[in-house]
Amino acid sequence: MRVAEIFYSIQGEGMLVGMPSVFVRTSGCNLRCRWCDTKYASWNPEGENVGLEEILAEVHRHPASHVVLTGGEPMVAKEIHELAAALHTAGKHITIETAGTVPPEGIPCDLASLSPKLSNSTPASGEISEAWIEQHDSRRTQPDVLAAWMENYAYQLKFVVSDDGDMEEIEALLEAVESGVPADRVLLMPEGTEPDTLRSRTEWVVGLCQEKGYRFCPRLHIELFGNTRGT
């Protein structure tokens, strides 16, 4: 499995924010989000091929019961099902951070952190090849795949929002996936990779959450450590 990094930190986003966790970041992604903050695991995948036993040994080196499989897109990683099964056997709580474009197919998972990509994620012309732009747009939202995750796992739906206009797109997708999604399972996170940018957008995202009853999703790791690897 190609791995960009394995590190011990705290969960900075979502319902388990603040939880000490080991992060296994696989390298490779089937999308090319404009605002991606881990391009070294997606746009320009880095990392070495690491065997399962070596990954597990590094995970067990840390005193955390929670493991986060992230990327890139971990669901396209070779042997991701085998890794999740081994972590499950070891008694770890497994969060899978995924865009929800690849079916789960029974993978062990305690929390599916689903992050469907809105149109604000599409790269601008000239940033990347037109072929990748078309591929990104055709893949970024897969309602049937999201429904398969939501029907079989505890989940959270985490949306990166850029402006008020994103709400119409979010609510259309929620309706397409499943009627009656609990509001506390929908998380809105301001776009940004710098503390000052996030703070400047926090007030209006909080306002959206108050209006709709959704959760506000901070990026605690950026507030604590900045936009740096291994955090």
Side-chain angles (χ1 to χ4, degrees):
M1 178 185 298
R2 193 174 187 186
V3 176
E5 56 186 350
I6 302 174
F7 58 93
Y8 181 45
S9 186
I10 63 166
Q11 176 59 268
E13 300 173 358
M15 297 168 63
L16 293 176
V17 66
M19 181 65 68
S21 305
V22 180
F23 291 77
V24 179
R25 187 182 305 282
T26 64
S27 197
C29 190
N30 59 349
L31 300 177
R32 291 294 183 269
C33 296
R34 174 182 58 80
W35 34 252
C36 179
D37 61 352
T38 55
K39 289 186 176 180
Y40 58 92
S42 56
W43 284 53
N44 303 296
E46 302 175 6
E48 303 293 330
N49 288 317
V50 184
L52 289 182
E53 292 304 318
E54 187 176 348
I55 295 172
L56 291 168
E58 179 61 21
V59 168
H60 294 317
R61 198 171 66 82
H62 303 285
S65 60
H66 284 64
V67 178
V68 181
L69 303 181
T70 187
E73 172 50 72
M75 291 303 296
V76 303
K78 184 180 180 181
E79 295 186 300
I80 194 65
H81 283 257
E82 291 83 353
L83 175 58
L87 292 169
H88 176 74
T89 297
K92 300 296 186 180
H93 178 286
I94 303 166
T95 297
I96 299 180
E97 296 186 338
T98 174
T101 61
V102 180
E105 297 181 342
I107 190 169
C109 176
D110 297 289
L111 177 63
S113 183
L114 306 171
S115 183
K117 308 310 179 190
L118 306 176
S119 58
N120 64 35
S121 68
T122 302
S125 181
E127 285 187 296
I128 200 167
S129 71
E130 291 299 319
W132 257 116
I133 292 173
E134 292 176 8
Q135 182 170 296
H136 177 91
D137 262 341
S138 68
R139 289 177 172 175
R140 62 181 175 80
T141 54
Q142 303 285 337
D144 290 344
V145 175
L146 289 170
W149 282 97
M150 294 164 66
E151 289 168 4
N152 292 286
Y153 301 91
Y155 68 88
Q156 60 186 16
L157 284 161
K158 186 173 60 179
F159 294 97
V160 175
V161 292
S162 298
D163 57 51
D164 292 348
D166 291 333
M167 284 309 307
E168 183 176 349
E169 192 175 346
I170 289 170
E171 294 187 332
L173 179 57
L174 292 176
E175 186 173 344
V177 171
E178 176 186 324
S179 60
V181 175
D184 65 353
R185 293 284 165 171
V186 179
L187 291 78
L188 304 185
M189 182 170 68
E191 179 196 342
T193 58
E194 300 298 331
D196 287 346
T197 301
L198 292 171
R199 292 188 200 108
S200 71
R201 294 173 173 167
T202 291
E203 184 176 352
W204 66 265
V205 177
V206 168
L208 287 174
C209 292
Q210 290 174 317
E211 177 185 348
K212 302 293 183 179
Y214 300 150
R215 290 193 187 205
F216 175 73
C217 182
R219 306 197 75 196
L220 180 60
H221 55 298
I222 290 180
E223 288 287 346
L224 293 177
F225 310 115
N227 184 28
T228 57
R229 295 195 192 193
T231 58

